Amino acid sequence: MSEVFSPPPVSRPFKSGSISRSFLAAMLAGTVVLAGGYAVLSKKSVASGVQGGAFDPAPDAAPNQVTEASVQPAKPAVIVKSGAAPKVMVAAPAKSVVAKPAAAVKSGVAASPRVARAMPVVKIAAKLKPPVVVAQKAPQRLAAAPVAPSAAQTTATDWPEYMGKARNGISRETGWFKGNEAQLVWKASIGTGFAAPAIAQGRVYATGNNGNQDTVWSFNAADGKGLWKYSYPCDLMAIQHEGGPSATPTVEGGLVFTYSKRGHLHALDAATGRMVWRHDIVGEYGGKIPQWGITSAPVVYGGTLFVMAGAPGACIMAFDKSTGAVQWKAGNDGPAYAALQVLRWKNAPYLVAFNASGVVFYGLQDGKELWRYNWKTSYDVNAAMPIIAEDKVFVSSGYNTGSALVQSSNNTELWKNKNMRNHFSTSVLVNGAIFGFDESQLACLDGNSGNKLWTADRLGKGSLIAADGKLIILSERGELVIAEASPNGYKELSRTQILSGKCWTAPALSNGNIYARNAAGDLVCVKF
């Protein structure tokens, strides 16, 4: 397969139908977030060379598609300081970001130019309605479970996978918020999709789809210069949403692992984009594709990559991360959309999967089931990752299902209500309070009682992470909102329009920069 640059991504409008808009939930689990009749891939969509097992490293063989590109950094936009009269001021447009034509590495095929539309950054200085405060009593603190350390070659400020290194949406960075003037650092066009960016070792890794072809991109994190890209055939799978890849790349040990909506699992060299190994999870192992496509981001622990496959007898599969050899298969549950996690429980690391049946803990060495909590949601949309706080498990889902806190040590349901209904966006736990999106409303819960402490409107079905006592929120409309992570009420510190269109993907924070994307494929890097 010869290397070509795909044309600029096309923003595909939402197609309404007889199914309600709430069906759009399952988009971003690896992301987040996002079956049935789509379980079989055509032979044309699977790259040549598959032999039913691990693939040998083949730096010169198709479909390895590594090219050099350059992305010109955009000028910082002019931002209107908050506190002004309620109005919207549009900043001067930034220069268009252009990926310069470059010869394809090793393939010898010249690349066509790729032009990204410029987008001004807008500061909204409107006053919000006061939030509805349900209670003011500060919660007792839940203590988050420690992440199980792996052999990741990343720095303390990297964000190398979905919801950060610990997959809890919490960054330890401080000093990144310096005021109200968010500035655009750079912008690129990566193709339709919902997968969040991953940042490691000074590079950004992102995925998108254009012309029924998925592409994995690598950019310089500081200035957006294109480093390499890797493409392969995969249909858009736009079912009641824009479509495109939704499982966030996982970067670990010098490799980038990606998982397409159709079950293409790739291990790429993080420095060059060279294909190291690959699998077709559907074609080789009978993996099942959920209704809105595969979105569960894989996770690495030590030398093993864990994947939600949804195959018979193999809901979860473990692969040698270096060779792609299968280590074990386990579970008969159907697949769902939530990303996998590795945490510590009973003084040992274990794998957490939120599949179509509920939350399951697996042993890392053999896939033995250790614990289970049944949790069913309409259309199997278990999409937001559970929060593990010592021996307590917080689980939440949409479609008016609600949330619960369960004590895993004695299988006691501590509380269960509908105060938090995470449709696809994973909540965060900060000082005993749970912050997340109750459908299309930001909410804060007392982690121990489940009581709702406050809510805030005008954010839609957004997503969030947290750092330095603050919430970093990306609204459904593309507004970057900074607010205090406080159980005592919603206090907004900044609101900047950084993207247009639909934004259902969680942002990322690394080295003071915030990275975010929209469904159409605009990827931006901003800073305060």
Side-chain angles (χ1 to χ4, degrees):
M1 180 186 299
S2 62
E3 150 65 19
V4 293
F5 272 98
S6 57
V10 178
S11 177
R12 300 179 182 269
F14 167 71
K15 297 180 180 180
S16 61
S18 58
I19 301 179
S20 71
R21 191 170 183 272
S22 63
F23 268 71
L24 300 177
M27 296 279 298
L28 306 176
T31 220
V32 165
V33 195
L34 279 180
Y38 303 93
V40 180
L41 287 173
S42 67
K43 293 182 179 179
K44 293 181 180 180
S45 68
V46 181
S48 61
V50 178
Q51 299 179 358
F55 285 78
D56 293 329
D60 297 322
N64 186 39
Q65 301 178 2
V66 181
T67 64
E68 295 178 350
S70 65
V71 182
Q72 297 176 358
K75 290 184 177 180
V78 179
I79 310 298
V80 180
K81 293 183 179 180
S82 62
K87 62 181 180 180
V88 176
M89 181 174 289
V90 180
K95 288 184 178 180
S96 298
V97 180
V98 180
K100 296 180 181 178
V105 176
K106 298 182 182 179
S107 67
V109 180
S112 61
R114 184 179 184 85
V115 181
R117 294 188 299 275
M119 183 180 301
V121 175
V122 181
K123 177 67 184 180
I124 294 183
K127 295 180 180 179
L128 292 180
K129 296 179 181 180
V132 178
V133 179
V134 180
Q136 293 293 339
K137 183 180 179 181
Q140 298 177 16
R141 293 187 178 183
L142 290 178
V147 62
S150 185
Q153 297 174 4
T154 55
T155 66
T157 56
D158 282 346
W159 195 267
E161 50 195 293
Y162 177 64
M163 296 297 280
K165 188 177 295 187
R167 296 215 169 181
N168 60 5
I170 308 296
S171 170
R172 294 184 178 180
E173 287 194 41
T174 60
W176 53 269
F177 182 68
K178 297 178 175 62
N180 294 318
E181 297 185 356
Q183 295 181 335
L184 178 64
V185 180
W186 58 265
K187 174 178 177 288
S189 186
I190 59 175
T192 307
F194 292 85
I199 303 93
Q201 299 284 294
R203 299 187 178 202
V204 177
Y205 302 92
T207 60
N209 183 285
N210 189 40
N212 288 321
Q213 179 171 268
D214 276 4
T215 297
V216 185
W217 300 86
S218 175
F219 300 97
N220 184 290
D223 58 15
K225 178 183 178 181
L227 302 174
W228 57 258
K229 73 171 188 174
Y230 178 96
S231 299
Y232 58 91
C234 184
D235 61 305
L236 187 64
M237 202 172 178
I239 303 173
Q240 283 86 47
H241 70 291
E242 288 81 352
S246 294
T248 298
T250 298
V251 187
E252 204 277 340
L255 296 173
V256 180
F257 302 96
T258 64
Y259 200 19
S260 81
K261 291 190 113 171
R262 291 293 191 186
H264 307 104
L265 179 64
H266 285 86
L268 307 177
D269 184 282
T272 66
R274 176 180 62 89
M275 190 272 291
V276 178
W277 58 263
R278 61 188 174 185
H279 281 296
D280 171 10
I281 298 298
V282 174
E284 295 176 52
Y285 307 108
K288 181 180 179 181
I289 302 175
Q291 186 171 352
W292 285 280
I294 292 171
T295 70
S296 178
V299 69
V300 173
Y301 180 79
T304 305
L305 176 75
F306 302 95
V307 175
M308 185 179 293
C315 178
I316 303 298
M317 295 187 66
F319 297 90
D320 183 290
K321 76 173 186 182
S322 299
T323 67
V326 176
Q327 294 184 341
W328 54 257
K329 308 174 186 178
N332 288 300
D333 301 296
Y337 303 91
L340 300 176
Q341 300 166 275
V342 175
L343 296 172
R344 294 190 68 84
W345 180 65
K346 294 185 177 180
N347 298 317
Y350 64 100
L351 179 70
V352 183
F354 192 20
N355 57 45
S357 302
V359 183
V360 181
F361 294 175
Y362 295 94
L364 296 180
Q365 300 302 319
D366 54 9
K368 180 180 178 181
E369 184 173 313
L370 305 175
W371 182 82
R372 171 184 294 263
Y373 176 64
N374 294 328
W375 187 269
K376 292 292 294 181
T377 305
S378 297
Y379 316 107
D380 293 337
V381 184
N382 289 337
M385 288 190 302
I387 296 175
I388 315 298
E390 296 179 336
D391 66 339
K392 298 178 179 63
V393 180
F394 169 80
V395 60
S396 179
S397 61
Y399 295 91
N400 205 35
T401 304
S403 56
L405 186 68
V406 184
Q407 192 161 333
S408 60
S409 57
N410 57 14
N411 294 316
T412 301
E413 199 170 78
L414 301 176
W415 56 260
K416 184 177 182 181
N417 57 42
K418 296 185 179 182
N419 288 340
M420 185 70 80
R421 296 160 296 173
N422 292 155
H423 205 165
F424 51 76
S425 174
T426 297
S427 294
V428 295
L429 173 66
V430 181
N431 294 329
I434 298 171
F435 301 89
F437 278 86
D438 177 25
E439 294 291 0
S440 58
Q441 188 177 63
L442 181 65
C444 174
L445 301 189
D446 178 325
N448 282 309
S449 68
N451 292 334
K452 186 174 286 187
L453 301 174
W454 54 258
T455 63
D457 298 315
R458 296 183 60 188
L459 294 166
K461 288 183 177 295
S463 56
L464 80 168
I465 58 176
D468 198 16
K470 301 173 184 66
L471 302 177
I472 303 172
I473 306 161
L474 184 64
S475 79
E476 186 174 17
R477 300 180 299 274
E479 300 156 305
L480 178 64
V481 178
I482 309 301
E484 290 187 356
S486 171
N488 298 318
Y490 176 77
K491 182 178 180 181
E492 188 168 301
L493 305 175
S494 173
R495 182 180 286 242
T496 308
Q497 188 85 41
I498 63 171
L499 290 163
S500 65
K502 182 185 294 176
C503 298
W504 280 356
T505 304
L509 171 66
S510 178
N511 289 297
N513 292 334
I514 296 174
Y515 302 85
R517 68 164 301 161
N518 61 13
D522 296 310
L523 172 67
V524 296
C525 170
V526 302
K527 69 184 303 182
F528 288 93

